Amino acid sequence: DIVRYTFTVTNQGNVTLSDIVVTDPLLEAPNPLVPIVFVSGDTNGDTLLDLDESWEYTADYILTQSDVDSGQVINQATAEGALPSGTIVSDLSHPVDVTMDEPTIVELCQAPVIAVIKTGVFNDLNGDGCANPKETITYSFEVFNLGNVTLFGVDIEDPLVNVLGGPITLAPGATDATTFSATYLITQADINAGFVENQAVVSGTTQLGIIVTDDSDLDSEFENRPTTTTLCQGAAIAIIKTA
């Protein structure tokens, strides 16, 4: 997106000024060069800033991700002009008051959003086609940055398992499906219930210290439902009677 800056240069003294120059460090190297363009105000057509004139310039600055992460753009311009004697006069800009000097601050909207999908796969370690105690469920986690700011310290907590991997940094629009994983040992109580169900929580922090969280979903980054892994129940009973 773009911030359009307007620079209004006025002659506050009692002599005509020439060689008017407007500069702004935000619009110069090492940042990408942005031209400051004269728009209007030279009513006499003589390239001199007369006492009754206000000259207007504009420049379009393209926002960076760093700007959005900071939540604002702060900068200050300088206007210079030459007296007939050749002496240079200058002034630092102010947002509204020609008698003061203060940086211009443009506040930027931040919308941090994080999401996570948790999936579980039963591992039939002995190959008997059914669940047994100490067989495992492998959990995978896919984390999404659905907002417009970079998220730092992204990590996952799960009351059922110890989640390995992380913390990581996640850029806006990015997805990570490889960093986080967990393994759960199945118990007899789980087999008796016929399933294992639980929910993880992902969290991340913005550059400004705002913490965002999300409860996991089983297949959608936009919902929050527990992940349920069904376990095979092979119920069987037998009796031998001898006389």
Side-chain angles (χ1 to χ4, degrees):
D1 287 339
I2 291 174
V3 176
R4 171 158 290 179
Y5 287 106
T6 300
F7 309 83
T8 303
V9 182
T10 60
N11 188 336
Q12 297 294 304
N14 64 350
V15 293
T16 300
L17 300 174
S18 62
D19 300 325
I20 304 303
V21 177
V22 178
T23 58
D24 190 322
L26 179 70
L27 312 177
E28 302 168 353
N31 300 322
L33 181 63
V34 177
I36 299 176
V37 181
F38 176 81
V39 176
S40 63
D42 187 10
T43 57
N44 297 323
D46 54 8
T47 70
L48 299 175
L49 182 57
D50 299 318
L51 306 186
D52 58 346
E53 289 182 335
S54 292
W55 289 9
E56 186 173 292
Y57 301 77
T58 63
D60 288 345
Y61 172 70
I62 300 175
L63 293 174
T64 67
Q65 186 58 56
S66 178
D67 296 327
V68 181
D69 290 343
S70 298
Q72 59 186 5
V73 179
I74 303 176
N75 70 307
Q76 195 169 25
T78 301
E80 293 183 349
L83 298 171
S85 65
T87 301
I88 301 297
V89 292
S90 66
D91 180 58
L92 291 171
S93 64
H94 186 278
V96 295
D97 192 333
V98 295
T99 66
M100 300 179 67
D101 300 326
E102 187 177 300
T104 297
I105 300 176
V106 178
E107 301 290 345
L108 303 177
C109 168
Q110 291 187 320
V113 182
I114 197 170
V116 61
I117 292 176
K118 174 184 178 180
T119 55
V121 176
F122 164 66
N123 303 302
D124 185 10
L125 300 181
N126 64 5
D128 67 354
C130 220
N132 297 281
K134 296 188 178 181
E135 290 187 316
T136 61
I137 297 173
T138 299
Y139 288 109
S140 300
F141 303 86
E142 186 172 9
V143 183
F144 304 80
N145 184 341
L146 303 178
N148 70 337
V149 294
T150 304
L151 296 176
F152 303 90
V154 174
D155 211 351
I156 296 175
E157 295 291 334
D158 192 316
L160 183 70
V161 290
N162 178 32
V163 180
L164 303 178
I168 62 171
T169 298
L170 206 58
T175 301
D176 182 283
T178 60
T179 297
F180 300 99
S181 64
T183 301
Y184 175 70
L185 287 176
I186 296 170
T187 67
Q188 186 60 56
D190 297 325
I191 299 172
N192 292 345
F195 62 89
V196 175
E197 181 177 273
N198 77 307
Q199 199 168 22
V201 177
V202 66
S203 63
T205 306
T206 71
Q207 182 175 308
L208 299 183
I210 298 172
I211 299 175
V212 289
T213 63
D214 180 61
D215 292 332
S216 66
D217 187 79
L218 64 159
D219 59 14
S220 172
E221 63 268 40
F222 304 109
E223 298 185 46
N224 303 116
R225 297 168 295 173
T227 297
T228 302
T229 305
T230 301
L231 301 178
C232 164
Q233 290 180 319
I237 195 169
I239 185 171
I240 293 175
K241 176 181 177 182
T242 58

